[in-house]
Amino acid sequence: MGAPVTSKTLLVRIAFAIVTASLLLSEIALTRLFSGTIGYYFAFMSISVAMLGLGAGSLYVTLRGKVKPSAHSRAALASTGLALAGVASTLAYLRFYPSMGLQGMSGQLAYVLLFGALFFPFLFGGVLISIIFEAHRGEFGVMYAVDLAGAAVGCVVAVLLLDHVPAPSAMLLISALAGLGAPLFYLSTGEKRSAAVSGVVAVCCACTPLVLRGSALLSPNVIRNQVLPVLVTDKWNDFSRVIVKKGPFYTWGLSQRYPEVREPQFDLLIEGVAGTQIQDFHDRDFHRLDFLRYDIGSLPHLLRPTGSALTLGVGGGLDVLTARYFNKAPVVGVEVNPLVGSIVNNDFGDYSGRPYYLPEVQVFFENARTFVKRDKALYDVVTVTWVDSGAATGAGAFALTENYLYTVDAFRDYMARLKDDGVLTFMRSRYSPESDAIKGIGIAVEAMTAIGIQSPERNIIVTSVKSPHFGWRELTHVMLKKKPFTPEEIAIVDEARGRLWFADLYTPGRTNGDPPITNLITNRDREQVYASFNFDMAPTTDDRPFYFFLREWRGHPATRDVLTLRQSIITIFVLIAAFLVVPLIVVLKRGIRSPAGVVTPSIYFGLLGLGFMLVEMKLLQQSVLVVGNPTLSLAAVLSSLLLSTGAGALLSERIKKSNASRSRAGLVFGVLIVALLVAMVIAEPLANWLTGFPIAVRTAGLVLSIAPLGLLLGCPLPLGMSTLGEDEHAGGMVAWCWGINGLMGVAGSGVAIYLAIHWGLKMAFLAGVACYLVAASLYLLRLSRPRAA
């Protein structure tokens, strides 16, 4: 495989791996920081800021020409710059991010300046990576493998770090880690004094969280432009920030006929947006819960006075308490966020009565969809009560965060958990936004049709409530059954509606309910029904799970978030073009390549960056359903993908040194494209099969199924780099092509999301396959052919 590894080479590789690990750590930690301060929908900005900085750093190396210090000394300086810029930009963000909520030019300026500040650490990272790749271009595959291995370790460390350290402090510690690369780079050149100084700088960065302990900077008090009140609890874990405050008594569906004024409760909020109540149940006296008889959530329990219950999204425990109050046993709960369970049952256990540990109650911590897909039990009542996480997981840096709870496939899974006469119930908002409850009802009708229910209009009841205990906001409560509702059951619901002043939005056999909802349920011409609404009503599926992102479709306007995404993609491409103009002029002026000689490599490496993101998105999204734990799925999938891609980079080193390198490379491309197509076909059946196993087996199976793809995906980039030559100009082309690859990766994240929202994850995946197919053609027809001197 080449020359023996010396101690100097080993130091360089370790330092390089430390820096690349810190860069991926920063991307994931930024996702958490954005989600816990300005909103989970900014998660994709972490990878955009990161990859734009990395790409720009590569282009800077292309511009700067020859310099006197050695490559490893310059890498050490970049490592120290990365550490200092990381600390400075993090503190600047924590100090000034509330200004991003201001109206007008001042708010827009704050966005630009703060995202610009966070860009600089990654700029130093891009400079460092390009310096190393340029200096070691003869063994690019080896260094690329080190890069990916470091990133894989960083992914695993991110899970461990963020589970124990709040995101603001974690960002500062990660910056210090990046600075540890500098002493090693200096030691590889024999510069011991510089190594000592840079080591002191890294230690000082690591002490920043200790110096600022107790400071308001590390406990940001604004979430989504809202100033937090005095908090009782403020905790972070690897995929959420959970706060608890003292609030008034409230429950989403409590009738205005409820006569009493209740004592205040504790409000638990995830990322400041997804709320749940912690009810006083300290003495476990069920008489404290008599108000539940006035709540709209009592309806399914009136229909099924006894039996078992499955609660998806336990939260503060009120649904579990409701089920036990109405004599359900056993009660099985599923909660995705273990931090919520810890706060409710440990921190507030003396107040809450520890609802997760009541007799006849068992709670599982995992994704609700994964649980219902592998669970074999049948229940009398299944509840999905307005379950939203409101949080971006670590995977949100690499794929749009969705929870897969509101798809046709999800409702089929829920109904599979019902006994023959069981009741499935869910609740969504009626008018805020208007699409919320309507889309949920449409999905439920499609799911019933999909499982063979011929007349779904006989199997659904829709009721609503405007509660004074929830600001008079109208909520829609939906009940579904496998069998038609009987006259006796309808009479029970009607009695409760009349007694508690609940509104009848739809009842089987009646036409006096809400007209749009009645038409949505009873009209068999589904396309005509969907066209009658002024927004995209096509039911979401696991392939297109974007329930809250309404696309522009068949004359219906897109919602603001999708329009913002489109504008972001356009902006990203404009920025990419702006970043490329000056370096391109330099490349041509220095005679590194002719104009024709620059175009083909640029397209090739750009397609690889775009294609990888398009392929990666579906792998990450699918993994969440298989593993069931968002954090573990991120660690398993991303680290597996990165490590196997690194192995592919090492394989490419063997290929390019063989006598038949061009034919072997062509074989690798052919196998890669076939493997991607096979993966797309078998992904869903394989995921469904794996879901039935214990979590260790599911995770191992996922890793093993992704590894072959990663191995093949790791070959094209080093193979392309090997065609750039070994002469003095090749270094400039290495930095240029690496920058192109990174910048198109920036675009790839947005393009992947946009394609998936409009046409589904499979279509985005196919677009990625097309990128690799075109890249393979360019490699075989142009790049790998002998180049004239």
Side-chain angles (χ1 to χ4, degrees), residues 92-278:
Y93 175 85
L94 292 171
R95 171 62 180 83
F96 296 108
Y97 83 88
S99 301
M100 298 167 77
L102 299 177
Q103 298 296 318
M105 184 59 68
S106 56
Q108 186 63 50
L109 184 62
Y111 273 102
V112 173
L113 292 177
L114 290 176
F115 282 137
L118 293 169
F119 162 88
F120 277 98
F122 296 102
L123 177 67
F124 281 105
V127 169
L128 187 152
I129 290 173
S130 293
I131 288 172
I132 295 299
F133 280 158
E134 183 186 57
H136 297 268
R137 58 185 177 274
E139 53 171 2
F140 181 88
V142 174
M143 298 309 293
Y144 185 46
V146 174
D147 173 10
L148 294 171
V153 173
C155 180
V156 176
V157 172
V159 173
L160 301 174
L161 178 66
L162 292 171
D163 199 33
H164 297 87
V165 180
S169 297
M171 286 293 297
L172 300 173
L173 293 176
I174 293 166
S175 299
L177 175 65
L180 290 178
L184 298 179
F185 280 125
Y186 277 127
L187 288 175
S188 72
T189 63
E191 300 175 71
K192 295 181 179 179
R193 180 174 296 180
S194 297
V197 172
S198 61
V200 170
V201 171
V203 171
C204 290
C205 291
C207 292
T208 308
L210 295 176
V211 173
L212 295 176
R213 185 169 55 182
S215 166
L217 277 179
L218 299 186
S219 300
N221 68 338
V222 177
I223 300 182
R224 291 168 50 115
N225 304 326
Q226 299 294 319
V227 179
L228 298 176
V230 176
L231 299 181
V232 182
T233 295
D234 182 3
K235 291 188 175 183
W236 302 66
N237 69 349
D238 48 326
F239 62 95
S240 70
R241 179 187 185 185
V242 180
I243 62 174
V244 179
K245 62 184 179 65
K246 193 73 173 179
F249 170 79
Y250 79 95
T251 180
W252 299 325
L254 193 60
S255 167
Q256 58 184 291
R257 296 293 304 276
Y258 182 67
E260 299 180 23
V261 177
R262 301 280 301 197
E263 68 278 5
Q265 296 171 320
F266 286 102
D267 298 343
L268 184 150
L269 297 173
I270 302 170
E271 313 289 51
V273 59
T276 183
Q277 313 97 303
I278 305 178

Side-chain angles (χ1 to χ4, degrees), residues 490-501:
I490 293 173
I492 292 173
V493 174
D494 281 341
E495 187 278 331
R497 285 168 169 169
R499 173 169 48 86
L500 300 174
W501 295 357

Side-chain angles (χ1 to χ4, degrees), residues 369 372-373 408-418 542:
R369 282 294 308 284
V372 296
K373 286 171 75 69
V408 173
D409 311 79
F411 275 77
R412 292 180 63 176
D413 290 340
Y414 302 154
M415 297 197 76
R417 301 276 62 80
L418 287 177
D542 282 356

